[in-house]
Amino acid sequence: MPASLASWLLTALLCLGGATRASAQETPAERMEEADEKVRELQEPAPEGVELELTSPETTKDEAEWKDAEEPAAEEAPAEEEPEEERETFGDRFKRGDLFGFFDVQGRFFPQPALPPAPGAPVLNDYWFNGSLAWEPGFFMNVTDYMNFELILFGRVDQHDRNRTHGDIREAFFELFFNEWTFGFGVHKVFWGVTESRHLVDIINQTDLVEDFDTDIKLGQAMITTSYTSEKAGTFSLFVMSWERPLVFPGPFGRPTLPIPVDNDIRIYESRLKQGQISTAFRWSYAVAGLDLGLSYFFGTARDPQLFLTTTGAGVPVFQPVYALIHQGGLDAQYTIEGWLLKVESIVRGGQGPTFGAITGGFEYTFFQANGSVVDVGVILEYNYDGRDNNTFILFNNDFFTGMRLTLNDVGSTEFLIGAFIDTEDGTVFIAAEAARRFGENWKILLEGRGYIPQGDNVLEFFRNDSQIQVDIEFRY
Amino acid sequence: MNRFVPLALVAALVPALAVAGPAEDKGLEIAKEADRRDTGFGDTTADMIMILRNKRGQESKREIEIRTLEVKGDGDKSLTVFHSPRDVRGTALLTYSHGVAPDDQWLYLPALRRVKRIASNNKSGPFMGSEFAYEDLSSQEVEKYKYKYIKDDEIADVACFLIERYPVDKDSGYTKQQVWLDKDEYRARKIDYYDRKGQLLKTFTPTEYKQFLGKYWRAHKMMMVNHQNGKSTELIWSNFKFKNGLKDSDFTRTRLTQVL
């Protein structure tokens, strides 16, 4: 890392550190005195910036007598004489509309030189640094007591990869709720599932793969949805979706990227309606005692396309994506007992080559306040099996994931997560480590390292030299 | 193992020994009376500002909205929604508390739109990095403790009962709590928390009580001072509203994703 960059980072860190307010050293006694003073201040009539909002004068009365006994200062200002005005606090923010979101400054560092996509071919993504900027503005409003509206947009500008310079409507969703019923329409995100290493059952939204290879980030999906929730019978949800989004892979200048580009302009849909196909999904979820259970069914256009090798008119090899119509049944379950979370997800899918099944299962155990400290240590072990043999791009089909989560429970909500996928067939390892901490009220720094250790002819061989370190500095408002 | 084990064992035996005697009966009666005076509130909503202070006086603020539904014959249901710090905006926690049985808790993570059932034995862990443990903020059901009346006492010239209560749950971070309840209204005036080694850990002081619906008292300011690490957490409550007509359907996993 060049010295100028390092010093810039250091300066940034120091500035952030300065954002948390520090005062001179105080003894506990002084602090208590200060606290007492504050109590007295609070009991003065209607001090600026202190909420003393009460529901209504008729239903509320202050007990001045008791206060007098506690604090002589209160005698001068009996609380009953306070003007009882309605004060708006942060809790009312969502009623008049809450603006929120984040800015992200991201740097990705690649210590190794990029490999050519084919022997002798030119290397288009051989850089050691990639910078990018993102903004995700959001707006939420509780329009009435039974209707919400949420709008979340997203945009990223990337230094090298034109595919990664992208925008999306994450949410543009009206939601109405009447007792047990909800109705929603617009662009929305929905998550199903329980496991950590892979999200098999989750199928409503397309993955924002250029944002991150970890498949956690999703694109918005246009839908109409309704659900009914009852304590005895669980939740029944129905989704009717259209305008499915294609999966966008990193371009030839992206890193990491596939050695042969995926050409979305020549994508094929099985449905004659192409992107106009209506996909439907149904889910039932239920919770009883320690058990959370979900059953789901999806029929419609696949989110993960099959990729077939072809050539462009100029004879350049490209992958042609094919979006089949699929049926998918899914099951997800978690049993929670004390510090144990036992999890399983499984799917059966037809319509994309031979019908296949896939399963992810394992456990997470948390040692709360490990070793007498306030630190929580969680260990995760999961096994992934995927029986597909159909040209869809998946990294692991028979592998273990093992991970550890450290939660410091400090003011900055510092968290560490380290995990590794180990392929049981050839011993290929993919390892990732993350750290995140908040600074002050609005800043957040995330650090992530990823390493690829491929063996044999594993698909990760393409990424052998693409190990990376990523730094994100976020301003959240 | 370690030298605290014998002491911890003795401390653990104390509640076992503290059964049925006049002091125990009177302690339980006081706790039941305090509980009785707070039943029938239906539901409440309130806003809370949490101010964390460390030894050097550095402050950090959290804004939290809490909705509670009283459940007859079981622990309350509650929905806790974070407004700030802004990186956890919209994060929400749904709790079905069950007295002695473990609570059911689901956490909603808005960035992933994910509802996650979380382990229920994390009683003594710090809530959002504060000096309040999860168990300090959870629904205070009578059966969560064994009780013992100690003596009549005074806090700032207010006549109080001093009772001791011993958590029934083995995951509790405490061996003992000393609770001062004022004789007039059975409101907590001070609580001393003793850790697993029997040492004084924290002192809780609620102030600025206001009465609602002519019956229910709510403290608008609460201070928790940790004597062992020098940190403190202050809660400033506002916007208490009672009988909002909240129902079971406002406290479901579906609704958890719709609060903010």
Side-chain angles (χ1 to χ4, degrees):
Chain A
M1 185 189 303
S4 60
L5 188 70
S7 71
W8 178 80
L9 268 177
L10 194 64
T11 315
L13 282 167
L14 288 172
C15 290
L16 295 176
T20 55
R21 187 147 58 91
S23 67
Q25 290 274 347
E26 283 176 306
T27 66
E30 279 168 357
R31 276 202 319 278
M32 288 303 288
E33 261 176 48
E34 259 181 39
D36 286 346
E37 249 173 59
K38 219 159 176 183
V39 172
R40 272 175 229 123
E41 275 169 30
L42 285 168
Q43 286 164 346
E44 304 285 348
E48 202 54 44
V50 176
E51 291 84 10
L52 288 168
E53 197 273 320
L54 309 166
T55 44
S56 73
E58 304 88 66
T59 58
T60 309
K61 93 177 161 66
D62 252 79
E63 195 208 18
E65 207 181 299
W66 166 73
K67 267 192 170 174
D68 289 352
E70 187 210 11
E71 291 285 347
E75 270 173 356
E76 297 149 33
E80 280 108 327
E81 289 170 21
E82 281 176 21
E84 295 188 348
E85 54 188 286
E86 281 279 334
R87 292 227 183 180
E88 198 178 61
T89 68
F90 64 87
D92 297 316
R93 208 184 262 156
F94 60 91
K95 293 224 166 60
R96 60 166 198 270
D98 186 13
L99 284 168
F100 61 95
F102 66 84
F103 293 96
D104 172 37
V105 181
Q106 184 187 75
R108 283 178 173 174
F109 303 87
F110 302 93
Q112 293 160 288
L115 294 172
V123 186
L124 300 174
N125 62 351
D126 188 18
Y127 42 83
W128 65 271
F129 173 78
N130 182 65
S132 70
L133 298 169
W135 183 29
E136 188 178 279
F139 173 77
F140 177 90
M141 193 172 170
N142 196 197
V143 185
T144 69
D145 282 345
Y146 50 86
M147 183 163 96
N148 289 338
F149 173 69
E150 186 165 37
L151 180 69
I152 302 179
L153 306 174
F154 177 80
R156 179 176 295 280
V157 179
D158 192 78
Q159 184 185 353
H160 292 105
D161 186 2
R162 274 199 303 193
N163 285 11
R164 199 163 184 256
T165 296
H166 70 298
D168 183 37
I169 300 171
R170 299 287 200 231
E171 296 275 346
F173 196 60
F174 279 95
E175 196 157 36
L176 294 95
F177 29 95
F178 305 98
N179 302 324
E180 291 82 12
W181 290 92
T182 67
F183 302 93
F185 61 96
V187 176
H188 192 41
K189 283 201 294 181
V190 173
F191 179 87
W192 299 343
V194 291
T195 55
E196 301 299 320
S197 59
R198 199 163 175 220
H199 305 309
L200 270 180
V201 165
D202 187 41
I203 195 169
I204 296 290
N205 298 85
Q206 181 59 277
T207 299
D208 190 344
L209 199 63
V210 287
E211 229 352 66
D212 199 329
F213 253 114
D214 73 3
T215 73
D216 271 348
I217 303 173
K218 300 289 177 182
L219 301 173
Q221 172 65 52
M223 68 173 74
I224 300 169
T225 176
T226 181
S227 78
Y228 173 84
T229 302
S230 110
E231 208 157 314
K232 288 210 173 76
T235 300
F236 300 86
S237 332
L238 181 70
F239 303 84
V240 178
M241 298 159 277
S242 192
W243 205 251
E244 268 82 4
R245 322 272 302 273
L247 183 62
V248 179
F249 287 82
F253 293 90
R255 200 170 172 191
T257 192
L258 294 178
I260 297 165
V262 176
D263 189 350
N264 274 339
D265 293 341
I266 55 167
R267 67 184 185 273
I268 295 173
Y269 289 90
E270 183 178 345
S271 166
R272 274 181 305 169
L273 299 166
K274 302 196 168 173
Q275 268 184 292
Q277 167 72 27
I278 308 285
S279 299
T280 51
F282 171 80
R283 179 174 164 84
W284 171 69
S285 66
Y286 184 62
V288 62
L291 182 71
D292 289 75
L293 186 64
L295 286 173
S296 52
Y297 175 74
F298 172 91
F299 173 72
T301 296
R303 271 57 179 141
D304 43 350
Q306 290 151 279
L307 301 177
F308 293 98
L309 196 56
T310 181
T311 50
T312 62
V316 181
V318 290
F319 277 123
Q320 181 173 39
V322 174
Y323 288 86
L325 286 173
I326 59 164
H327 297 266
Q328 177 172 308
L331 163 104
D332 58 278
Q334 178 178 317
Y335 188 68
T336 307
I337 181 160
E338 299 193 328
W340 291 93
L341 312 179
L342 308 173
K343 304 169 174 189
V344 66
E345 284 191 32
S346 183
I347 58 163
V348 175
R349 184 188 291 184
Q352 223 176 14
T355 297
F356 67 91
I359 190 164
T360 298
F363 69 83
E364 177 166 356
Y365 181 78
T366 307
F367 300 90
F368 292 107
Q369 295 98 55
N371 215 6
S373 67
V374 294
V375 177
D376 298 335
V377 181
V379 275
I380 305 162
L381 182 68
E382 285 178 0
Y383 170 71
N384 288 301
Y385 171 78
D386 197 310
R388 79 182 68 191
D389 180 16
N390 63 2
N391 293 53
T392 51
F393 181 77
I394 63 160
L395 287 180
F396 291 96
N397 54 10
N398 188 0
D399 62 290
F400 278 99
F401 172 82
T402 174
M404 191 167 86
R405 202 198 303 270
L406 272 181
T407 309
L408 298 198
N409 287 315
D410 59 345
V411 171
S413 304
T414 310
E415 264 197 320
F416 299 92
L417 182 65
I418 183 162
F421 286 90
I422 302 144
D423 195 307
T424 56
E425 284 164 13
D426 59 20
T428 292
V429 172
F430 168 64
I431 189 160
E434 291 171 32
R437 190 198 195 285
R438 179 178 55 247
F439 292 87
E441 305 294 318
N442 296 103
W443 295 90
K444 193 159 186 173
I445 294 186
L446 300 102
L447 281 172
E448 186 174 0
R450 286 183 186 176
Y452 304 92
I453 312 159
Q455 305 288 337
D457 59 352
N458 192 285
V459 63
L460 279 186
E461 179 60 29
F462 306 132
F463 303 150
R464 171 178 288 287
N465 274 14
D466 289 330
S467 295
Q468 66 174 51
I469 294 162
Q470 178 175 313
V471 182
D472 285 277
I473 299 170
E474 291 180 353
F475 179 79
R476 291 192 170 257
Y477 62 97
Chain B
M1 274 266 294
N2 76 51
R3 65 205 153 90
F4 297 113
V5 165
L7 192 59
L9 273 176
V10 170
L13 283 173
V14 169
L17 296 171
V19 282
E24 285 74 21
D25 288 346
K26 188 171 178 189
L28 180 62
E29 282 317 306
I30 292 167
K32 277 185 174 165
E33 177 61 18
D35 185 62
R36 193 192 61 76
R37 286 172 183 241
D38 203 48
T39 52
F41 66 84
D43 65 73
T44 56
T45 60
D47 296 342
M48 177 177 98
I49 297 173
M50 182 180 251
I51 302 165
L52 282 58
R53 293 189 185 88
N54 71 6
K55 266 187 281 201
R56 288 167 290 166
Q58 288 174 323
E59 284 188 1
S60 178
K61 201 173 84 174
R62 285 110 175 71
E63 294 173 316
I64 297 161
E65 186 195 337
I66 297 178
R67 305 175 191 177
T68 308
L69 179 71
E70 191 178 23
V71 180
K72 302 234 157 54
D74 199 353
D76 298 341
K77 291 181 178 179
S78 72
L79 197 55
T80 307
V81 187
F82 294 92
H83 288 251
S84 83
R86 295 297 268 176
D87 65 320
V88 293
R89 176 204 170 275
T91 302
L93 186 68
L94 174 67
T95 305
Y96 294 175
S97 56
H98 298 301
V100 182
D103 297 345
D104 297 318
Q105 281 198 311
W106 293 268
L107 184 67
Y108 173 59
L109 304 166
L112 303 174
R113 295 261 159 208
R114 181 171 178 183
V115 175
K116 225 177 160 173
R117 165 93 73 133
I118 58 171
S120 57
N121 66 335
N122 185 20
K123 305 271 176 193
S124 54
F127 178 81
M128 286 294 287
S130 76
E131 297 314 307
F132 284 86
Y134 282 92
E135 62 185 309
D136 305 340
L137 294 167
S138 69
S139 167
Q140 297 294 318
E141 309 298 324
V142 172
E143 61 273 22
K144 283 185 175 177
Y145 305 92
K146 300 262 182 252
Y147 300 86
K148 188 178 182 183
Y149 165 78
I150 303 298
K151 61 173 183 178
D152 287 4
D153 201 1
E154 282 188 355
I155 295 278
D157 294 332
V158 177
C160 287
F161 299 112
L162 168 59
I163 61 168
E164 285 185 354
R165 59 184 192 191
Y166 315 97
V168 172
D169 194 318
K170 63 175 170 52
D171 292 316
S172 172
Y174 312 117
T175 46
K176 176 173 88 173
Q177 296 173 10
Q178 289 185 323
V179 186
W180 282 263
L181 294 161
D182 63 61
K183 290 186 172 183
D184 286 348
E185 298 284 351
Y186 287 73
R187 294 164 304 200
R189 298 299 321 280
K190 180 181 165 185
I191 304 177
D192 278 339
Y193 294 89
Y194 291 81
D195 65 14
R196 288 179 179 141
K197 297 163 194 161
Q199 305 290 314
L200 177 62
L201 176 63
K202 302 186 291 195
T203 297
F204 172 72
T205 320
T207 51
E208 290 178 33
Y209 273 100
K210 294 189 177 79
Q211 196 177 27
F212 295 87
L213 308 180
K215 185 173 179 193
Y216 307 105
W217 292 92
R218 291 290 180 270
H220 282 60
K221 208 177 146 191
M222 297 173 173
M223 184 63 108
M224 184 71 94
V225 178
N226 187 316
H227 303 290
Q228 295 184 4
N229 65 14
K231 294 182 193 173
S232 67
T233 300
E234 186 179 341
L235 307 183
I236 299 166
W237 294 83
S238 60
N239 262 358
F240 270 109
K241 292 185 176 116
F242 282 71
K243 310 250 185 206
N244 303 282
L246 297 180
K247 301 175 289 287
D248 279 327
S249 58
D250 293 307
F251 294 84
T252 61
R253 287 165 297 136
T254 309
R255 193 53 50 85
L256 186 61
T257 66
Q258 297 164 336
V259 281
L260 196 67

PDB file of all heavy atoms in Angstrom, chain B residues 4 8 14 17 29 55 68 84 101 106 135 151 191 203 209 215 235-236:
ATOM      1  N   PHE B   4     -13.590 -19.099  42.582  1.00  0.00           N
ATOM      2  CA  PHE B   4     -14.926 -18.549  42.888  1.00  0.00           C
ATOM      3  C   PHE B   4     -15.999 -19.620  42.947  1.00  0.00           C
ATOM      4  O   PHE B   4     -17.103 -19.369  43.355  1.00  0.00           O
ATOM      5  CB  PHE B   4     -15.310 -17.497  41.855  1.00  0.00           C
ATOM      6  CG  PHE B   4     -14.389 -16.324  41.862  1.00  0.00           C
ATOM      7  CD1 PHE B   4     -13.556 -16.066  40.787  1.00  0.00           C
ATOM      8  CD2 PHE B   4     -14.322 -15.498  42.978  1.00  0.00           C
ATOM      9  CE1 PHE B   4     -12.692 -14.994  40.807  1.00  0.00           C
ATOM     10  CE2 PHE B   4     -13.458 -14.426  42.998  1.00  0.00           C
ATOM     11  CZ  PHE B   4     -12.634 -14.177  41.909  1.00  0.00           C
ATOM     12  N   ALA B   8     -19.696 -19.335  44.444  1.00  0.00           N
ATOM     13  CA  ALA B   8     -20.821 -19.364  43.514  1.00  0.00           C
ATOM     14  C   ALA B   8     -21.811 -20.457  43.915  1.00  0.00           C
ATOM     15  O   ALA B   8     -23.023 -20.269  43.824  1.00  0.00           O
ATOM     16  CB  ALA B   8     -20.314 -19.607  42.096  1.00  0.00           C
ATOM     17  N   VAL B  14     -28.432 -20.321  48.059  1.00  0.00           N
ATOM     18  CA  VAL B  14     -29.241 -19.378  48.836  1.00  0.00           C
ATOM     19  C   VAL B  14     -30.714 -19.390  48.414  1.00  0.00           C
ATOM     20  O   VAL B  14     -31.582 -19.607  49.234  1.00  0.00           O
ATOM     21  CB  VAL B  14     -28.637 -17.960  48.807  1.00  0.00           C
ATOM     22  CG1 VAL B  14     -29.614 -16.954  49.373  1.00  0.00           C
ATOM     23  CG2 VAL B  14     -27.342 -17.940  49.603  1.00  0.00           C
ATOM     24  N   LEU B  17     -32.529 -22.442  49.562  1.00  0.00           N
ATOM     25  CA  LEU B  17     -32.853 -22.466  50.986  1.00  0.00           C
ATOM     26  C   LEU B  17     -33.980 -21.488  51.323  1.00  0.00           C
ATOM     27  O   LEU B  17     -34.709 -21.669  52.284  1.00  0.00           O
ATOM     28  CB  LEU B  17     -31.612 -22.093  51.808  1.00  0.00           C
ATOM     29  CG  LEU B  17     -30.441 -23.082  51.682  1.00  0.00           C
ATOM     30  CD1 LEU B  17     -29.201 -22.520  52.358  1.00  0.00           C
ATOM     31  CD2 LEU B  17     -30.794 -24.439  52.284  1.00  0.00           C
ATOM     32  N   GLU B  29     -45.457 -11.505  48.757  1.00  0.00           N
ATOM     33  CA  GLU B  29     -46.676 -10.689  48.784  1.00  0.00           C
ATOM     34  C   GLU B  29     -46.417  -9.294  48.235  1.00  0.00           C
ATOM     35  O   GLU B  29     -47.226  -8.756  47.478  1.00  0.00           O
ATOM     36  CB  GLU B  29     -47.221 -10.597  50.229  1.00  0.00           C
ATOM     37  CG  GLU B  29     -47.975 -11.842  50.668  1.00  0.00           C
ATOM     38  CD  GLU B  29     -48.916 -12.377  49.587  1.00  0.00           C
ATOM     39  OE1 GLU B  29     -49.757 -11.595  49.095  1.00  0.00           O
ATOM     40  OE2 GLU B  29     -48.789 -13.557  49.220  1.00  0.00           O
ATOM     41  N   LYS B  55     -15.910   5.246  31.079  1.00  0.00           N
ATOM     42  CA  LYS B  55     -15.134   5.802  32.190  1.00  0.00           C
ATOM     43  C   LYS B  55     -14.601   7.192  31.890  1.00  0.00           C
ATOM     44  O   LYS B  55     -14.455   8.021  32.752  1.00  0.00           O
ATOM     45  CB  LYS B  55     -13.942   4.867  32.490  1.00  0.00           C
ATOM     46  CG  LYS B  55     -14.245   3.858  33.583  1.00  0.00           C
ATOM     47  CD  LYS B  55     -12.990   3.095  33.960  1.00  0.00           C
ATOM     48  CE  LYS B  55     -12.699   2.009  32.939  1.00  0.00           C
ATOM     49  NZ  LYS B  55     -11.855   0.939  33.423  1.00  0.00           N
ATOM     50  N   THR B  68     -45.461  -2.616  23.693  1.00  0.00           N
ATOM     51  CA  THR B  68     -45.666  -3.756  24.586  1.00  0.00           C
ATOM     52  C   THR B  68     -47.144  -4.130  24.602  1.00  0.00           C
ATOM     53  O   THR B  68     -48.012  -3.262  24.651  1.00  0.00           O
ATOM     54  CB  THR B  68     -45.235  -3.384  26.023  1.00  0.00           C
ATOM     55  OG1 THR B  68     -43.904  -2.856  25.972  1.00  0.00           O
ATOM     56  CG2 THR B  68     -45.237  -4.609  26.929  1.00  0.00           C
ATOM     57  N   SER B  84     -31.772   4.747  15.895  1.00  0.00           N
ATOM     58  CA  SER B  84     -30.380   5.143  15.758  1.00  0.00           C
ATOM     59  C   SER B  84     -29.549   4.349  16.756  1.00  0.00           C
ATOM     60  O   SER B  84     -30.093   3.880  17.750  1.00  0.00           O
ATOM     61  CB  SER B  84     -30.205   6.648  15.979  1.00  0.00           C
ATOM     62  OG  SER B  84     -30.115   6.925  17.368  1.00  0.00           O
ATOM     63  N   ALA B 101     -40.240 -20.151  31.621  1.00  0.00           N
ATOM     64  CA  ALA B 101     -39.826 -20.814  30.379  1.00  0.00           C
ATOM     65  C   ALA B 101     -39.043 -19.833  29.510  1.00  0.00           C
ATOM     66  O   ALA B 101     -39.224 -18.627  29.628  1.00  0.00           O
ATOM     67  CB  ALA B 101     -41.054 -21.316  29.627  1.00  0.00           C
ATOM     68  N   TRP B 106     -37.215 -13.075  18.000  1.00  0.00           N
ATOM     69  CA  TRP B 106     -36.835 -12.971  16.596  1.00  0.00           C
ATOM     70  C   TRP B 106     -36.252 -11.593  16.341  1.00  0.00           C
ATOM     71  O   TRP B 106     -36.766 -10.583  16.815  1.00  0.00           O
ATOM     72  CB  TRP B 106     -38.041 -13.167  15.693  1.00  0.00           C
ATOM     73  CG  TRP B 106     -38.609 -14.541  15.721  1.00  0.00           C
ATOM     74  CD1 TRP B 106     -38.288 -15.582  14.888  1.00  0.00           C
ATOM     75  CD2 TRP B 106     -39.621 -15.045  16.609  1.00  0.00           C
ATOM     76  NE1 TRP B 106     -39.026 -16.681  15.218  1.00  0.00           N
ATOM     77  CE2 TRP B 106     -39.849 -16.393  16.258  1.00  0.00           C
ATOM     78  CE3 TRP B 106     -40.339 -14.494  17.667  1.00  0.00           C
ATOM     79  CZ2 TRP B 106     -40.769 -17.195  16.929  1.00  0.00           C
ATOM     80  CZ3 TRP B 106     -41.257 -15.291  18.329  1.00  0.00           C
ATOM     81  CH2 TRP B 106     -41.461 -16.630  17.955  1.00  0.00           C
ATOM     82  N   GLU B 135     -31.933  -9.283  30.429  1.00  0.00           N
ATOM     83  CA  GLU B 135     -32.878  -9.653  31.486  1.00  0.00           C
ATOM     84  C   GLU B 135     -33.358  -8.438  32.286  1.00  0.00           C
ATOM     85  O   GLU B 135     -34.436  -8.473  32.863  1.00  0.00           O
ATOM     86  CB  GLU B 135     -32.282 -10.714  32.417  1.00  0.00           C
ATOM     87  CG  GLU B 135     -31.042 -10.294  33.160  1.00  0.00           C
ATOM     88  CD  GLU B 135     -30.443 -11.451  33.983  1.00  0.00           C
ATOM     89  OE1 GLU B 135     -31.182 -12.079  34.750  1.00  0.00           O
ATOM     90  OE2 GLU B 135     -29.238 -11.693  33.850  1.00  0.00           O
ATOM     91  N   LYS B 151     -36.326  -5.658  55.203  1.00  0.00           N
ATOM     92  CA  LYS B 151     -36.689  -4.681  56.235  1.00  0.00           C
ATOM     93  C   LYS B 151     -37.403  -3.483  55.613  1.00  0.00           C
ATOM     94  O   LYS B 151     -37.452  -3.348  54.382  1.00  0.00           O
ATOM     95  CB  LYS B 151     -35.429  -4.194  56.963  1.00  0.00           C
ATOM     96  CG  LYS B 151     -34.436  -3.495  56.048  1.00  0.00           C
ATOM     97  CD  LYS B 151     -33.278  -2.882  56.848  1.00  0.00           C
ATOM     98  CE  LYS B 151     -32.345  -2.126  55.900  1.00  0.00           C
ATOM     99  NZ  LYS B 151     -31.233  -1.472  56.537  1.00  0.00           N
ATOM    100  N   ILE B 191     -32.527  -0.538  42.594  1.00  0.00           N
ATOM    101  CA  ILE B 191     -32.212  -1.968  42.568  1.00  0.00           C
ATOM    102  C   ILE B 191     -30.694  -2.129  42.562  1.00  0.00           C
ATOM    103  O   ILE B 191     -30.006  -1.501  41.757  1.00  0.00           O
ATOM    104  CB  ILE B 191     -32.797  -2.687  41.323  1.00  0.00           C
ATOM    105  CG1 ILE B 191     -34.318  -2.477  41.230  1.00  0.00           C
ATOM    106  CG2 ILE B 191     -32.471  -4.183  41.356  1.00  0.00           C
ATOM    107  CD1 ILE B 191     -34.964  -3.086  39.990  1.00  0.00           C
ATOM    108  N   THR B 203     -26.083  -0.594  40.035  1.00  0.00           N
ATOM    109  CA  THR B 203     -27.210   0.021  40.744  1.00  0.00           C
ATOM    110  C   THR B 203     -28.116   0.699  39.731  1.00  0.00           C
ATOM    111  O   THR B 203     -27.659   1.437  38.852  1.00  0.00           O
ATOM    112  CB  THR B 203     -26.711   1.042  41.781  1.00  0.00           C
ATOM    113  OG1 THR B 203     -25.946   0.352  42.756  1.00  0.00           O
ATOM    114  CG2 THR B 203     -27.885   1.748  42.454  1.00  0.00           C
ATOM    115  N   TYR B 209     -41.139   9.569  38.038  1.00  0.00           N
ATOM    116  CA  TYR B 209     -42.335   8.761  37.801  1.00  0.00           C
ATOM    117  C   TYR B 209     -43.511   9.647  37.442  1.00  0.00           C
ATOM    118  O   TYR B 209     -43.711  10.700  38.042  1.00  0.00           O
ATOM    119  CB  TYR B 209     -42.682   7.967  39.067  1.00  0.00           C
ATOM    120  CG  TYR B 209     -41.965   6.645  39.164  1.00  0.00           C
ATOM    121  CD1 TYR B 209     -40.831   6.502  39.962  1.00  0.00           C
ATOM    122  CD2 TYR B 209     -42.421   5.540  38.460  1.00  0.00           C
ATOM    123  CE1 TYR B 209     -40.167   5.277  40.059  1.00  0.00           C
ATOM    124  CE2 TYR B 209     -41.772   4.324  38.546  1.00  0.00           C
ATOM    125  CZ  TYR B 209     -40.650   4.194  39.347  1.00  0.00           C
ATOM    126  OH  TYR B 209     -40.024   2.988  39.426  1.00  0.00           O
ATOM    127  N   LYS B 215     -53.535   5.243  37.183  1.00  0.00           N
ATOM    128  CA  LYS B 215     -53.145   4.015  37.847  1.00  0.00           C
ATOM    129  C   LYS B 215     -51.675   3.637  37.649  1.00  0.00           C
ATOM    130  O   LYS B 215     -50.972   3.330  38.594  1.00  0.00           O
ATOM    131  CB  LYS B 215     -54.043   2.869  37.341  1.00  0.00           C
ATOM    132  CG  LYS B 215     -53.791   1.559  38.064  1.00  0.00           C
ATOM    133  CD  LYS B 215     -54.790   0.482  37.681  1.00  0.00           C
ATOM    134  CE  LYS B 215     -54.456  -0.818  38.429  1.00  0.00           C
ATOM    135  NZ  LYS B 215     -55.161  -1.971  37.916  1.00  0.00           N
ATOM    136  N   LEU B 235     -31.401   6.003  30.626  1.00  0.00           N
ATOM    137  CA  LEU B 235     -32.542   5.897  29.715  1.00  0.00           C
ATOM    138  C   LEU B 235     -33.463   7.081  29.948  1.00  0.00           C
ATOM    139  O   LEU B 235     -33.824   7.369  31.083  1.00  0.00           O
ATOM    140  CB  LEU B 235     -33.336   4.604  29.968  1.00  0.00           C
ATOM    141  CG  LEU B 235     -32.589   3.283  29.967  1.00  0.00           C
ATOM    142  CD1 LEU B 235     -33.573   2.131  30.161  1.00  0.00           C
ATOM    143  CD2 LEU B 235     -31.818   3.101  28.673  1.00  0.00           C
ATOM    144  N   ILE B 236     -33.803   7.768  28.878  1.00  0.00           N
ATOM    145  CA  ILE B 236     -34.752   8.873  28.984  1.00  0.00           C
ATOM    146  C   ILE B 236     -35.986   8.484  28.161  1.00  0.00           C
ATOM    147  O   ILE B 236     -35.896   8.293  26.958  1.00  0.00           O
ATOM    148  CB  ILE B 236     -34.143  10.193  28.471  1.00  0.00           C
ATOM    149  CG1 ILE B 236     -32.922  10.551  29.330  1.00  0.00           C
ATOM    150  CG2 ILE B 236     -35.178  11.311  28.508  1.00  0.00           C
ATOM    151  CD1 ILE B 236     -32.045  11.623  28.745  1.00  0.00           C
TER     152      ILE B 236
END
